[in-house]
Amino acid sequence: GLTVDLLLTAVVLFHLWLCPYTKVEESFNLQATHDFLYHAGNITQYDHHQFPGVVPRSFSGAFVVSTLAKPLQLLSDGLGMSKFFSQIIVRGILGVAVVFSLRVLRKAIEEGLGKEVGTYFMLMFCVQFHLPFYFSRTLPNVFALVLTNLALAAWIQKKYSRLIGFLVFGALILRSEIFIFGGCIGLQLLITKRISFFHSLGLALGFSFIFLALTVPMDSFLWQRWLWPEAEVLHYNTVQNKSHNWGVSPFYWYFLIAIPKTLMATSLFLPLGIYFGFVEKKLLNLLVPAVSFVFLYSFLPHKELRFIFYVFPLLNLTSAFGVSRLLQNTPKSKKGFAKFVVYSIFGASLIASLGFLYISSLNYPGGVAFHELHNLEKRENVNVHIDVHAAMTGVSRFGQLRDDWTYSKTEDIQDFSEYLQYSHLIHGNVTLLEELAQNFEVLAVVEGYDRIQKFPPKVIVAPKIWIMKNKAF
């Protein structure tokens, strides 16, 4: 069991090593961890005052991770390592936390279904791309995933008070969609008379009071106004119904596109798990709430994979159960062939995952350019402007390596002459290049993923970000 846990940890850290930069969706929590580590009580320097985002978010997850990261950050700084290494530390701690929560879930699975199912459960994650890729990314959904994994373990172990506690914290503080996920689980438990409605309601209300009392004061202090962040997010997405501004997808998107794409080749094991679950009358009580949650959440027009992260452990559990029972029920004369097929599917999924990982490593030209500028320019008093294209593809405060430099991400530049105040630019706006060339010289061009050529198969890259220096500097 420990071996497969360490294997998944290594897979997550490998994804982190190849893709150390982050994108705009992860920005709030990543910048918040930076500010906790490097600005501490000087909240006037915190990033969210300048870039608050569309809706406020809780600092709870970032506070916990930065607290855990602080000793390693101090050690890293003391050894003279780049500040950017602290970003690796922060993301690594989050990734390990997710794996630890899956380890707790694996042990609960093994208590009821056997060690073989637990082993295959962890192996499913190891050969998939999207989940290990996201495990170290500072999205609120990933922080919440730690709690939902622990909640699933408590559910399997019939520790319902603990289940309610984890779900309430996740829903109230981190991601409100967990209310729906928890509601599906709670309804199933009520129907099967595993829990009492009034007792569970009392627990939920008690936990709610405690968690809000712990987090609202901190969030209000940091945002400089009284607020319950996730309530404002819920109001934005439901009452104001503005989530569709970020794109809409058809009702079937989760079931027919997101889930198969995420499970990859291991999705072939899912029907096996459902079949053996029917035969042995196991797992269905776990799977039905998961499917119900995805069905209900499909009514929301705006869809993203991260919104349904919480169901994938249950889907992988079902697949693992199917593999285990297939190998157990296959006659000895055909067991070798059955193992060959199973491990071939694992292998195909792993190969595809490595391909996705390589492509993803090309999606952060802004981060690469930001790092490269610090290698190219060694002078003091550099004043660099980072445009939206670069800021959205990898630039973070952890990459601001020079205290004697000025970094600007000003978005509302109206007059071209405003660019002349900067000594350097990191830009991805192609339409401005010709005009900028009058006063700036190109130091380097960073390429990024462009498309996949079908024949012969090839990943095509193209210029994405330009590093430029003011000719007068």
Side-chain angles (χ1 to χ4, degrees):
L2 179 60
T3 301
V4 76
D5 297 341
L6 293 175
L7 177 62
L8 180 54
T9 302
V11 170
V12 172
L13 295 179
F14 180 65
H15 282 70
L16 167 57
W17 177 59
L18 283 183
C19 300
Y21 302 106
T22 58
K23 286 198 174 181
V24 65
E25 296 89 351
E26 307 150 60
S27 177
F28 171 77
N29 281 304
L30 187 70
Q31 311 290 32
T33 56
H34 169 277
D35 295 340
F36 278 130
L37 290 172
Y38 288 98
H39 297 307
N42 186 10
I43 67 169
T44 59
Q45 297 299 312
Y46 278 35
D47 183 81
H48 68 281
H49 293 306
Q50 185 177 4
F51 301 100
V54 178
V55 288
R57 288 292 181 185
S58 174
F59 286 86
S60 303
F63 176 76
V64 172
V65 170
S66 60
T67 301
L68 294 173
K70 188 62 179 179
L72 290 175
Q73 175 253 317
L74 291 174
L75 177 62
S76 172
D77 291 351
L79 293 173
M81 302 185 73
S82 166
K83 187 170 78 166
F84 184 74
F85 190 70
S86 294
Q87 178 167 311
I88 306 299
I89 292 172
V90 164
R91 289 188 52 199
I93 286 174
L94 179 57
V96 170
V98 176
V99 175
F100 174 79
S101 68
L102 288 172
R103 170 180 165 82
V104 174
L105 178 53
R106 173 186 64 77
K107 294 176 79 171
I109 290 168
E110 290 178 352
E111 290 175 10
L113 298 172
K115 287 190 175 182
E116 191 176 57
V117 177
T119 299
Y120 284 123
F121 168 73
M122 297 296 272
L123 284 176
M124 295 289 170
F125 293 101
C126 291
V127 300
Q128 293 163 351
F129 164 69
H130 293 86
L131 298 172
F133 177 79
Y134 276 109
F135 283 170
S136 68
R137 298 194 167 271
T138 53
L139 294 163
N141 315 76
V142 177
F143 289 111
L145 181 61
V146 175
L147 295 175
T148 57
N149 287 339
L150 296 175
L152 294 177
W155 182 17
I156 292 171
Q157 294 172 322
K158 298 180 174 60
K159 298 177 180 179
Y160 300 125
S161 296
R162 191 179 299 178
L163 162 69
I164 293 170
F166 287 131
L167 291 177
V168 167
F169 189 93
L172 285 177
I173 310 304
L174 298 174
R175 288 297 307 188
S176 56
E177 69 261 18
I178 295 177
F179 277 120
I180 303 174
F181 186 52
C184 293
I185 295 173
L187 182 61
Q188 192 264 355
L189 291 174
L190 285 171
I191 292 173
T192 56
K193 299 181 179 179
R194 301 291 179 89
I195 60 173
S196 160
F197 175 77
F198 291 105
H199 176 68
S200 300
L201 180 62
L203 279 174
L205 292 175
F207 281 129
S208 298
F209 176 80
I210 294 170
F211 296 148
L212 290 174
L214 288 173
T215 61
V216 165
M218 178 182 70
D219 287 326
S220 299
F221 171 72
L222 292 169
W223 283 105
Q224 296 290 281
R225 63 183 177 90
W226 281 103
L227 83 168
W228 168 14
E230 201 56 27
E232 294 198 14
V233 175
L234 187 63
H235 181 264
Y236 178 88
N237 288 332
T238 55
V239 178
Q240 295 182 323
N241 192 28
K242 290 187 177 181
S243 65
H244 68 274
N245 293 340
W246 307 103
V248 298
S249 299
F251 183 87
Y252 60 78
W253 187 81
Y254 286 130
F255 286 104
L256 298 185
I257 298 176
I259 290 176
K261 183 178 180 180
T262 303
L263 297 181
M264 303 182 73
T266 63
S267 60
L268 296 172
F269 298 134
L270 196 57
L272 280 176
I274 295 172
Y275 168 76
F276 285 113
F278 269 112
V279 171
E280 299 187 24
K281 296 182 180 179
K282 294 179 179 179
L283 290 185
L284 297 183
N285 62 319
L286 301 176
L287 195 57
V288 169
V291 174
S292 300
F293 165 69
V294 177
F295 175 78
L296 292 173
Y297 217 66
S298 294
F299 285 97
L300 188 69
H302 177 59
K303 297 176 177 63
E304 293 185 39
L305 174 63
R306 60 192 176 99
F307 296 162
I308 61 165
F309 274 170
Y310 327 110
V311 306
F312 284 103
L314 293 174
L315 297 178
N316 277 343
L317 168 56
T318 304
S319 295
F321 183 73
V323 171
S324 173
R325 293 302 186 261
L326 172 67
L327 296 180
Q328 287 178 11
N329 291 292
T330 300
K332 285 187 177 181
S333 60
K334 298 181 180 179
K335 187 159 290 189
F337 177 73
K339 286 183 177 180
F340 172 77
V341 172
V342 166
Y343 295 136
S344 294
I345 291 173
F346 275 124
S349 186
L350 178 60
I351 292 170
S353 295
L354 292 173
F356 279 120
L357 180 57
Y358 169 69
I359 292 172
S360 295
S361 70
L362 303 174
N363 276 329
Y364 301 90
V368 174
F370 200 38
H371 178 78
E372 185 63 20
L373 174 62
H374 289 83
N375 291 332
L376 293 172
E377 185 58 76
K378 301 300 182 183
R379 283 177 287 182
E380 299 178 354
N381 302 318
V382 167
N383 186 10
V384 56
H385 181 262
I386 303 145
D387 81 344
V388 173
H389 299 78
M392 292 180 65
T393 57
V395 173
S396 79
R397 284 192 163 195
F398 284 105
Q400 297 178 359
L401 307 182
R402 297 284 296 265
D403 293 332
D404 56 351
W405 285 17
T406 302
Y407 302 92
S408 172
K409 292 189 290 184
T410 302
E411 299 178 11
D412 55 352
I413 294 180
Q414 303 294 329
D415 193 318
F416 177 80
S417 62
E418 294 182 51
Y419 287 114
L420 300 180
Q421 66 182 296
Y422 299 104
S423 65
H424 293 75
L425 306 177
I426 300 180
H427 272 226
N429 189 342
V430 180
T431 59
L432 284 176
L433 287 179
E434 186 174 343
E435 192 172 6
L436 289 171
Q438 299 173 26
N439 299 95
F440 291 84
E441 62 177 304
V442 176
L443 296 181
V445 179
V446 177
E447 295 181 327
Y449 172 77
D450 188 60
R451 68 186 192 280
I452 295 178
Q453 179 178 286
K454 293 183 179 180
F455 186 81
K458 183 181 179 181
V459 176
I460 304 297
V461 296
K464 297 294 181 179
I465 301 293
W466 284 259
I467 305 173
M468 310 182 79
K469 182 176 75 70
N470 195 318
K471 293 176 181 179
F473 181 72

